Amino acid sequence: MDRLLEERLGIFERTGQAAPDICRFVRDELHALDAGGGAVTEETAGTLVSHLLMALQRARDGAALTDFPADETVRAELDGHPDAVERARALAARARSVVGTGLPEQEVRFLALHLALLGQREATR
């Protein structure tokens, strides 16, 4: 994980936008992605990090995203990325286990979009 991405995580943690255990969980997930050969940098994963931090914090605070007008568009896009959906569901299950916070399906689908994009970037390297 590069310095800029680490700085992003630090900002969320220092400002209290995401709880320390959520930040730790996301950091561990990024290290696992990085160790798996993914290019985990600010450029490739910055929006993924912000979304995951905020989604987990929203869910913990009882304000999870449960309705989104473009949800059908998101579903249609993900039809071509079933592996990203599986990875997002697995990540959400780990979050529930580690930090005690689950994610509703709408958040899992958004996470899957981020993972699909990361996968596309990796494939073009």
Side-chain angles (χ1 to χ4, degrees), residues 63-77:
L65 177 66
T66 57
D67 187 36
F68 184 67
D71 200 40
E72 289 307 312
T73 304
V74 171
R75 285 176 197 259
E77 178 64 29

Side-chain angles (χ1 to χ4, degrees), residues 54-66 104 107:
M54 296 309 298
L56 288 168
Q57 192 62 55
R58 279 193 305 267
R60 178 175 281 175
D61 294 343
L65 177 66
T66 57
E107 294 280 17

Side-chain angles (χ1 to χ4, degrees), residues 17-57:
Q17 293 178 70
D21 64 323
I22 290 174
C23 292
R24 201 169 25 259
F25 170 77
V26 171
R27 188 175 283 112
D28 290 346
E29 288 294 317
L30 291 172
H31 285 300
L33 277 172
D34 202 33
V40 182
T41 66
E42 173 65 23
E43 182 181 346
T44 63
T47 56
L48 165 66
V49 168
S50 292
H51 178 247
L52 183 55
L53 288 166
M54 296 309 298
L56 288 168
Q57 192 62 55

Side-chain angles (χ1 to χ4, degrees), residues 7 10 12 14 18 48 60-61 66 71 97 103 113 119 121:
E7 284 180 21
F12 274 87
R14 282 190 311 277
L48 165 66
R60 178 175 281 175
D61 294 343
T66 57
D71 200 40
S97 174
L103 292 172
L113 285 175
R121 288 178 173 159

